[in-house]
Amino acid sequence: ALGTIAFFPYHLFKKRLREQEIKKILVIRIDEIGDVLLTTPVLRALRKRFPGAKIHVLVKESTKILLQNNPNVDKIQICRKPWLKQGLDVSYYNQLIRELKKENYDVALELHPDARNIVLGFRAARCIVGHGFRGLGFLLDKATLSDPTQEHIIQLNLDVARLLGADSSGKLEIFYTKKDEQKAAGLLKGIKEKIICINPGAGRTTKLWSNERWAKVADALVEQGAYIVFTGSREEQDLIKGIQSGMKHKNKIRNLAGKTSLLELAALLKKCDLVLGTDSGTLHIARAVG
């Protein structure tokens, strides 16, 4: 099916849009926590450039909470069978396209980039903009000339928004509530020392550091007067317990893995003096809260 789409010049029949005609926008971002947060500058740029437009974002179920309170998002669309890691379920893919087409999007932004995402946006919206360097770029109405090896991903994302005349700073954003703050305060209750968070988990094993080294770092920080808080998912409990078992100073640590939502985690990280970790969504959340 993708092959047929690739060789037929559908783009010759696309209606070109004037920027003043853009009233409804779809941003495609069906990947991980960090990727969604790294898209928030784009959402802010689009809101500023098109204040009267409706901005929808297509994400996975597990990351929708990151945009839950974002004032730059009018609707969160859910991709229930994301294909970037699981492979393409053609039946669901076509069903999703039919559902999105009902929204009558004027333009779709594809940021990953991925040929399957490009086809999705091409079929769901009247116009699509994005990066074309991984294939099917000829379907894009406007494409960036960005070099992915030379620019940070935030700027790569904003390069797509700039195709529509939208721009912003690279500041990441996450919006948590008072209730999230109260939950975070409860989890840190009683800690008087400087709080250092260690988030040792990662989405891929190639990103992990050794338990022994994390234990040495944590002990050294405790000896300098810090209190160590470990964060992570529920599935990373064993990883953290392995680190803690190798520590000498077990009286100044707290394991909070699996005990927070992503917004509660954001509120918790805001209260920490320092966050250490692997390349993971948690570090992007820490950056978003300063």
Side-chain angles (χ1 to χ4, degrees):
L2 290 179
T4 302
I5 292 170
F7 287 104
F8 189 82
Y10 290 94
H11 63 295
L12 297 179
F13 301 93
K14 295 276 281 182
K15 179 180 178 181
R16 304 294 166 167
L17 282 181
R18 297 184 181 91
E19 289 180 9
Q20 61 267 30
E21 295 178 317
I22 296 176
K23 304 298 182 186
K24 203 169 193 180
I25 301 169
L26 175 67
V27 178
I28 301 169
R29 194 81 264 193
I30 58 171
D31 20 22
E32 305 306 321
I33 292 170
D35 302 297
V36 173
L37 284 174
L38 290 165
T39 302
T40 55
V42 169
L43 302 176
R44 186 172 61 250
L46 292 172
R47 178 64 81 207
K48 181 180 178 182
R49 178 68 180 83
F50 306 103
K54 297 295 183 182
I55 300 173
H56 295 190
V57 187
L58 179 67
V59 297
K60 300 193 301 183
E61 180 74 34
S62 60
T63 60
K64 69 178 182 180
I65 191 173
L66 295 168
L67 302 176
Q68 191 168 274
N69 306 306
N70 192 313
N72 302 315
V73 177
D74 295 295
K75 185 175 180 179
I76 300 172
Q77 299 277 22
I78 303 300
C79 178
R80 305 196 183 280
K81 295 183 180 180
W83 43 84
L84 296 181
K85 284 190 175 181
Q86 301 174 13
L88 187 66
D89 181 327
V90 175
S91 176
Y92 175 75
Y93 182 76
N94 288 327
Q95 174 191 332
L96 180 60
I97 289 172
R98 289 192 295 271
E99 292 173 359
L100 293 175
K101 286 180 74 171
K102 294 176 184 177
E103 296 280 357
N104 295 314
Y105 292 112
D106 296 308
V107 62
L109 285 78
E110 204 294 284
L111 304 175
H112 183 65
D114 182 271
R116 294 160 295 185
N117 291 1
I118 290 176
V119 172
L120 177 83
F122 176 85
R123 293 181 61 190
R126 297 168 66 198
C127 173
I128 178 171
V129 299
H131 302 290
F133 52 76
R134 284 185 183 165
L136 298 194
F138 66 88
L139 291 179
L140 299 168
D141 292 277
K142 289 186 177 182
T144 71
L145 299 176
S146 307
D147 182 347
T149 66
Q150 298 299 316
E151 281 193 280
H152 189 278
I153 187 170
I154 292 176
Q155 293 306 315
L156 287 173
N157 289 341
L158 284 169
D159 283 346
V160 176
R162 292 176 185 124
L163 294 173
L164 300 175
D167 204 355
S168 173
S169 71
K171 183 181 183 300
L172 306 186
E173 294 179 303
I174 187 169
F175 300 88
Y176 52 79
T177 66
K178 200 72 177 176
K179 187 176 179 181
D180 298 319
E181 289 182 340
Q182 291 167 351
K183 174 68 178 290
L187 291 172
L188 299 175
K189 188 176 181 180
I191 301 176
K192 305 299 183 184
E193 299 85 352
K194 283 187 176 294
I195 302 173
I196 296 183
C197 170
I198 293 180
N199 189 88
R204 294 197 294 270
T205 56
T206 52
K207 295 182 178 183
L208 296 177
W209 206 32
S210 76
N211 289 1
E212 179 186 359
R213 290 173 179 174
W214 276 127
K216 287 181 178 179
V217 168
D219 276 330
L221 291 169
V222 170
E223 288 166 5
Q224 294 181 50
Y227 194 105
I228 308 299
V229 169
F230 288 93
T231 58
S233 67
R234 188 175 290 106
E235 292 73 24
E236 290 164 344
Q237 280 278 3
D238 288 342
L239 168 66
I240 293 170
K241 288 177 181 176
I243 295 169
Q244 292 176 325
S245 67
M247 290 181 60
K248 296 180 292 184
H249 304 292
K250 296 182 175 63
N251 61 324
K252 294 291 183 179
I253 56 177
R254 194 168 294 183
N255 184 356
L256 301 180
K259 295 184 179 180
T260 64
S261 69
L262 290 177
L263 295 185
E264 291 166 350
L265 176 62
L268 186 145
L269 296 178
K270 179 69 174 177
K271 296 178 181 296
C272 294
D273 295 283
L274 176 68
V275 180
L276 304 176
T278 57
D279 176 17
S280 67
T282 297
L283 287 197
H284 292 301
I285 293 174
R287 179 175 178 180
V289 298

